[in-house]
Amino acid sequence: MSDPNKKPGQALDRLYASERESGEFRFDASVARVFPDMIRRSVPGYTTIIPMIEVITEQYARPGSHCYDLGCSLGASTLAMRHGIGDRDCSLTGVDNSAAMIERCEHYIALDDHPLPVTLRCEDILDTFIDNASVTTLNFTLQFVAPERRAELMTRIADATLPGGVLILSEKIRFESDAEQAIQTQLHHEFKRANGYSDLEISQKRSALEQVLIPETLTEHRQRLMKAGFNQVLVWYQCFNFVSMLAIKSP
Ligand code: GEK
């Protein structure tokens, strides 16, 4: 069956369409190839969040500062930040530890006609040097970082963020109430079904992600961000079990 939402020229995600041996999900070349289709059909709200990252960056990027997109994949959020920065004198760095993603990301950045240079780094975001930051984005990346390493990363970002600067943090979350967890998970699966994924694809992908994507509650995120040194945390977007937060450092 062809996907009605498929955009011309975009490779269709059929990675879990046939029975496959269990194995952890990895951001390898086969995932990078179908990534735009995969993320759009799997993450409710993704197509709204990307243009809003541009709006938020436009609001908070400060001349003379650095902006970072951590876990940039193919650069959708990086490009949104680039356009949000506009003609301000800021640097923009995208980081991803998947070589396959960075390789394709370079291509997408080159196709975009905005003049702001983008530095791409293929490295673990836990090793990325961050300083003098006005806008940092983690658009569905922290969820893949080992839970015991998340606090140190948040503290490093908060320490590096200038007064009045922000962290845009988008995550799949889990709910404190089991009943809500069940309803929101069901709705997410319905979203995937509506986007053309079969039950087999949904269940195989779910198993593959189980050990790699560890969601936390909103309370856990808020508490960690505040402890790290941000002064305000607000949810600016939610669709089912996917949210985007804005963590703000007081001016
Ligand atoms: C977008 N932000 O399109 N260090 C560096 N990169 C990492 C790490 C790590 N420790 N862990 C995971 N990644 C993008 C989408 S996808 C979200 C982000 C998803 C990278 C990983 O290689 C992948 O490219 C990205 O984080 C997560 O707005 O697939 O649900």
Side-chain angles (χ1 to χ4, degrees), residues 41-210:
R41 291 200 291 139
S42 306
V43 175
Y46 178 79
T47 50
T48 301
I49 290 170
I50 292 294
M52 292 313 130
I53 288 176
E54 177 175 341
V55 172
I56 296 170
T57 303
E58 191 165 12
Q59 181 68 24
Y60 289 99
R62 195 199 290 177
S65 72
H66 302 318
C67 297
Y68 299 90
D69 185 16
L70 305 178
C72 60
S73 299
L74 302 187
S77 36
T78 322
L79 289 177
M81 293 179 78
R82 189 189 218 183
H83 286 264
I85 291 168
D87 60 6
R88 269 166 276 195
D89 165 32
C90 292
S91 79
L92 176 58
T93 304
V95 182
D96 205 291
N97 63 356
S98 159
M101 288 290 191
I102 288 290
E103 202 177 298
R104 281 179 181 260
C105 186
E106 276 165 3
H107 174 69
Y108 284 106
I109 300 288
L111 282 179
D112 178 60
D113 56 5
H114 195 287
L116 180 74
V118 178
T119 303
L120 291 179
R121 305 171 72 100
C122 187
E123 68 183 16
D124 194 314
I125 56 172
L126 291 167
D127 299 328
T128 299
F129 178 71
I130 304 166
D131 75 333
N132 191 28
S134 58
V135 183
T136 301
T137 298
L138 277 160
N139 199 35
F140 301 108
T141 305
L142 186 67
Q143 58 197 19
F144 294 106
V145 171
E148 67 276 11
R149 306 292 307 271
R150 293 179 188 181
E152 84 188 54
L153 177 60
M154 291 301 104
T155 303
R156 267 198 315 110
I157 295 172
D159 285 350
T161 300
L162 296 165
V166 296
L167 166 66
I168 303 166
L169 176 63
S170 309
E171 287 277 291
K172 181 179 189 180
I173 58 161
R174 95 186 147 75
F175 296 89
E176 270 145 46
S177 137
D178 291 344
E180 177 164 9
Q181 178 66 28
I183 294 167
Q184 301 274 23
T185 304
Q186 179 65 28
L187 289 170
H188 175 219
H189 291 169
E190 289 307 328
F191 167 85
K192 292 187 77 167
R193 246 175 236 120
N195 279 330
Y197 283 118
S198 67
D199 289 344
L200 179 68
E201 285 175 296
I202 295 170
S203 78
Q204 292 199 125
K205 177 81 177 285
R206 190 182 188 179
S207 312
L209 280 174
E210 222 147 49

